[in-house]
Amino acid sequence: MNAPQVSFEFFPPQSLEASFRLWDTVQVLSPLDPTFVSVTYGAGGTTRDLTRDAVATLHKSSGLNVAAHLTCVNATREETLGIAKEFAKAGVREIVALRGDAPKGQDRFTPVEGGFANSVELIEALSATGDFKIRVGAYPDRHPEAESTQADIDWLKAKLDAGASEAITQFFFEADTFFRFRDACVKAGITAPILPGILPIENWKGTRNFAKRCGTEIPQWLNDAFKTAERDGRSDLLATAICTELCSDLMGGGVDALHFYTLNRPELTRDVCHALGVTPKIDLQNVA
Ligand code: FAD
């Protein structure tokens, strides 16, 4: 089996210490030659300036292909497109376009006056600028707000038809979840690539809580395995093995590109990549 293509998600640092952590993460993972790296946009639009600065700095200093996340939350159309314009001005030509979640204290997304009402409107407007390759989110376990699995897939198709060219999935725990989703997408006439989003499990309790909030199904065997591993102090080994097996199963089913949610912690992602045959691309001139 050929080694897969990889890409990595980071979040923007909010302190000096976090900036160093992101820098270290980039140093560890960039030799793996990612197709692109992406930088998240804080929930509720809270990291707007930090995202812009992190994206511009990464683009300028790392030589990596950087994609900026952008949501519709808490901003007018004009403000959101203004941020996209700043990305383009900085040379960033890839965007992960999202509706976003409701800000803290609200239980449903509601657009501000003059804001994009949903992700399709955002994608249409970004697409009309002609400046960006647009990726969107997809939900193998179904988005918690979706009326049905089919409605969720129809909405994904609407996002792709609006001008997006690729989808990245929410994380999931079993390869079959992805395969079922991929098959249903094909049946719905979706031809765009769907990149599986992989979350290496740094901390089982945190991951389990996050999964519950996202509507990601948690298999009993996984919960049991981490319970035992935590008791015996070998959670890290289990996390590496489980993530590697998930990726390997996906590759066995024809997947050739994987998107890792790194949480700005590079070690687990690096170890899994190495196990999958993704090794550092070192310039031979530097070795001699
Ligand atoms: P959409 O796909 O537009 O909507 C979510 C679901 O609601 C749809 O799947 C559909 O079933 C239903 N729906 C919504 N509107 C309609 C409609 N008009 N008609 C029919 N159905 C509808 N959040 C952040 O805040 N910052 C980030 O940087 C960030 N990055 C992410 C990256 C990825 C790859 C993913 C998968 C998620 C990310 N999120 C991020 C989380 C995301 O904001 C939430 O999952 C949010 O609730 C949905 O955003 P979306 O663009 O996928 O929504």
Side-chain angles (χ1 to χ4, degrees), residues 40-41 43 69 98-101 119 139 143 146 152 155 159 261:
T40 62
Y41 197 80
H69 291 214
L98 301 140
R99 185 199 67 184
D101 282 321
S119 55
Y139 299 89
H143 190 279
D152 212 17
W155 186 247
K159 295 197 286 189
Y261 295 115

Side-chain angles (χ1 to χ4, degrees), residues 221-235 238:
W221 65 263
L222 189 61
N223 201 36
D224 294 345
F226 269 102
K227 228 160 125 190
T228 313
E230 274 167 2
R231 187 196 62 201
D232 297 346
R234 51 181 167 75
S235 301
L238 180 68

Side-chain angles (χ1 to χ4, degrees), residues 9-10 38-45 51 68-73 96-102 108-109 117-120 122-123 136-139 142-149 151-156 159 167-171 197 214 259 261:
E9 181 190 281
F10 306 132
S38 74
V39 181
T40 62
Y41 197 80
T51 299
H69 291 214
L70 185 62
T71 74
C72 308
V73 179
V96 181
L98 301 140
R99 185 199 67 184
D101 282 321
R108 273 196 100 78
F109 168 83
N118 55 53
S119 55
V120 167
L122 170 64
I123 295 156
V136 293
Y139 299 89
R142 171 176 159 177
H143 190 279
E145 289 171 43
E147 276 176 18
S148 65
T149 302
D152 212 17
I153 290 169
D154 291 344
W155 186 247
L156 172 61
K159 295 197 286 189
I168 307 174
T169 76
Q170 185 59 280
F171 68 96
C214 297
H259 184 70
Y261 295 115

Side-chain angles (χ1 to χ4, degrees), residues 262-283:
T262 72
L263 307 180
N264 294 6
R265 294 186 183 277
E267 292 82 10
L268 193 42
T269 297
R270 176 204 57 202
D271 292 349
V272 171
C273 286
H274 285 184
L276 297 171
V278 183
T279 48
K281 308 277 178 300
I282 304 169
D283 193 338

